[in-house]
Amino acid sequence: MLNKEKEIQKILRGKFMEGPKLLLDEDSIGINYFSGNLNSAYYELYGNSSIFRLIIIEPSTNLFTNQYVGKNHLLFLLLEEEQVRGGFVSLNVENLVDEFGKVFSYLREEQIEELHGLWRNFASLHYMKLTKE
């Protein structure tokens, strides 16, 4: 049964994901896998010491939660073994590292800085070129 599930995952990965090694530099740092569009995107990001499985969702322009969330906000979610954690990040701030620190408060400071660097140098550049579908 496990082999059947692995085969299905392999087929789905081949059909829906771009990668492996989609946008890695010479040190194997960057985007390994990608799937999605501007509305929702999945990135598997390789850092020096961590691998981040990041889902980015663009909220609708009139989304209202306990506070208004709309333009210039993205929902960042990290897929981990047993759960998904994250929150809304404002892209209109001076210090995006602090925003990442608030959303991913359970990560160590080095991991937050590594994730921020991967976002700034690889994923954000790729994400901003995507189209909505």
Side-chain angles (χ1 to χ4, degrees), residues 78-94:
L78 281 181
L79 284 172
E80 297 171 354
E81 291 178 21
E82 297 293 323
Q83 56 192 341
V84 178
R85 295 200 239 179
F88 288 101
V89 172
S90 172
L91 301 178
N92 284 349
V93 294
E94 295 276 328

Side-chain angles (χ1 to χ4, degrees), residues 8-47:
I8 291 170
Q9 290 295 326
K10 187 177 178 182
I11 291 167
L12 290 173
R13 180 175 279 182
K15 181 173 177 145
F16 293 108
M17 290 190 162
E18 297 176 25
K21 300 180 180 179
L22 179 67
L23 188 62
L24 295 178
D25 66 12
E26 63 277 353
D27 297 323
S28 294
I29 296 172
I31 302 170
N32 189 46
Y33 278 104
F34 163 78
S35 179
N37 58 38
L38 196 60
N39 294 328
S40 59
Y42 167 82
Y43 287 95
E44 186 176 85
L45 301 171
Y46 280 26

